[in-house]
Amino acid sequence: MNRRRFIGTSLAVTTAAVTGAAPAGAASADAAPARGGAGAQRRLFLGTYTSQPGGGTGIGTATYDEATGTVTAAGTVEGVADPSYLAVHPSGRSLYAVNERAQGGVTAVDLPPAGSPRVLGTRASGGAGPCHLSVHPGGRWLLSAHYTSGSVAVHPIEASGALGERTDLVTHSTPPPGPGQQGPHAHQIVTAPDGRHVLAVDLGTDTVYTYRLDTAAGKLSRVSHATVRPGAGPRNLAFHPSGRFAYLADELDNTVVVCAYDPASGRLTPGAPQPTGTRPGVTSYPAQLVVTGDGAFAYLANRGDNTLTRYAVERGGARLRLLGTVPVDGDFPRHLALSPSGRLLFTANQRSGSVSVFRVDGRTGALSPAGRPFRAPVAVCVLPL
């Protein structure tokens, strides 16, 4: 299980410099990536814990080669405290990071087409231990989830990409916590493909909450909730491109659940728990699911087992069929992400301080390593653009 530590509370971040501290053997670079074509360099951002021994000093920056999967260090956006999760604005012009500390915050970073990223500022998030955030598809609102305080928040996004003062904060108070939990633990907040509903996954209450977001006022109103079996510990939800199904990773009982989703009502209906394919006798905590853009395959990161599970998506999204697992060549894969093209898959391996890169076979969904893992201190999030 992932237990969080909070060291320090200062979040007065207003400026930052990008330093070129590259790992040994990697060239330092900070040019904007070329677009299109074989061998084009694209941007990659890395989340870390700055307050942990051996952690980073801010948001890691790098580039990757779309054809080979090779990652090259480009520096660090300094001064961002514990940026354990990252999200990009739909325009691509700004980046957002949680500050996962006891007094949580969210930080905005400007991403100019050429030149260095620049911190725009930090806002208090209103809760403890923010661990996930996402940008509403309209680009006007930032949504964040607090693990420790079990709450979700909304911040306005200004035209510059900077964040305004928080407009809402909702704490999960019902249903009561599941077995072994002392309270709610919001682990993810994401907008459904219909764009009208926001879903928050709470590990502590074994529940996924559905909200409607008032896009004029930045307020959340709860419309329904779906509870999985007690003690499952839901952590992460990924939608099928059809918008009719979603897949839920349960951290505590090492399962996945196919959920039907009704866009009209926002109601989520969980199915039966399914195995992750991890080795018997190995304690493993599923971390995150991703689904390919064509909806044909899904991948799951398994911490403890240090593998990725591959599923075939069948019956229009209604079924996951277990195909097998592959090792990540790292320790504790906390986060994974597909490149925009879908040809590469990245895993952030927290305990080994590395990022593994895999080529994705578009026909079979098979994964093959693209070289050796890239070193990144306490890598907990990887965001390829």
Side-chain angles (χ1 to χ4, degrees):
M1 191 186 313
N2 179 35
R3 297 297 188 190
R4 293 177 170 79
R5 296 175 62 230
F6 305 108
I7 304 174
T9 58
S10 175
L11 293 174
V13 181
T14 56
T15 61
V18 178
T19 63
S28 177
D30 195 34
R35 299 295 180 185
Q41 295 293 308
R42 300 186 64 92
R43 278 177 163 174
L44 183 77
F45 294 92
L46 302 164
T48 184
Y49 284 116
T50 60
S51 60
Q52 288 190 3
T57 57
I59 300 171
T61 68
T63 61
Y64 68 96
D65 187 303
E66 182 74 26
T68 66
T70 300
V71 178
T72 302
T76 303
V77 183
E78 298 280 1
V80 184
D82 287 320
S84 65
Y85 199 87
L86 311 172
V88 69
H89 192 275
S91 68
R93 295 194 297 267
S94 52
L95 178 78
Y96 301 94
V98 298
N99 306 116
E100 191 174 341
R101 294 192 163 190
Q103 296 179 9
V106 283
T107 295
V109 178
D110 180 51
L111 299 180
S116 301
R118 178 177 62 91
V119 172
L120 296 172
T122 295
R123 294 286 186 179
S125 61
C131 62
H132 186 270
L133 47 66
S134 61
V135 181
H136 187 265
R140 292 182 55 201
W141 304 102
L142 182 72
L143 312 166
S144 58
H146 301 94
Y147 180 85
T148 305
S149 56
S151 57
V152 293
V154 183
H155 285 78
I157 298 175
E158 300 172 356
S160 65
L163 297 171
E165 290 288 352
R166 186 180 67 252
T167 56
D168 207 2
L169 181 70
V170 179
T171 299
H172 298 155
S173 56
T174 58
Q181 302 299 315
Q182 304 304 310
H185 295 303
H187 220 303
Q188 181 194 31
I189 185 165
V190 62
T191 305
D194 59 67
R196 292 176 294 176
H197 297 99
V198 171
L199 284 81
V201 181
D202 196 297
L203 182 150
T205 62
D206 296 315
T207 297
V208 181
Y209 302 87
T210 299
Y211 296 96
R212 189 178 293 275
L213 174 67
D214 182 333
T215 55
K219 299 291 186 179
L220 295 169
S221 57
R222 182 167 150 183
V223 297
S224 68
H225 71 276
T227 300
V228 296
R229 65 179 181 177
R235 176 186 176 96
N236 178 267
L237 185 79
F239 275 93
H240 186 267
S242 69
R244 295 285 180 174
F245 299 95
Y247 313 114
L248 188 63
D250 292 329
E251 174 178 334
L252 301 184
D253 71 357
N254 190 25
T255 63
V256 296
V257 174
V258 178
C259 305
Y261 177 74
D262 178 24
S265 65
R267 184 172 296 279
L268 197 71
T269 304
Q274 299 179 212
T276 62
T278 52
R279 293 168 293 168
V282 175
T283 301
S284 191
Y285 303 100
Q288 190 194 3
L289 283 152
V290 294
V291 183
T292 56
D294 60 4
F297 300 98
Y299 303 97
L300 173 70
N302 301 302
R303 297 169 298 167
D305 195 50
N306 290 331
T307 59
L308 297 177
T309 302
R310 178 170 57 110
Y311 295 97
V313 181
E314 300 176 337
R315 292 168 46 195
R319 180 187 178 196
L320 290 180
R321 178 166 58 89
L322 179 64
L323 296 177
T325 63
V326 297
V328 297
D329 196 13
D331 191 0
F332 220 63
R334 166 78 172 265
H335 180 256
L336 72 165
L338 289 161
S339 65
S341 71
R343 293 194 293 265
L344 296 175
L345 185 146
F346 300 79
T347 71
N349 309 313
Q350 181 174 357
R351 292 179 179 169
S352 57
S354 63
V355 172
S356 300
V357 187
F358 296 86
R359 296 185 182 90
V360 180
D361 186 310
R363 183 179 62 86
T364 67
L367 302 174
S368 58
R372 297 291 299 161
F374 172 79
R375 286 188 292 136
V378 190
V380 292
C381 183
V382 55
L383 180 62
L385 303 186

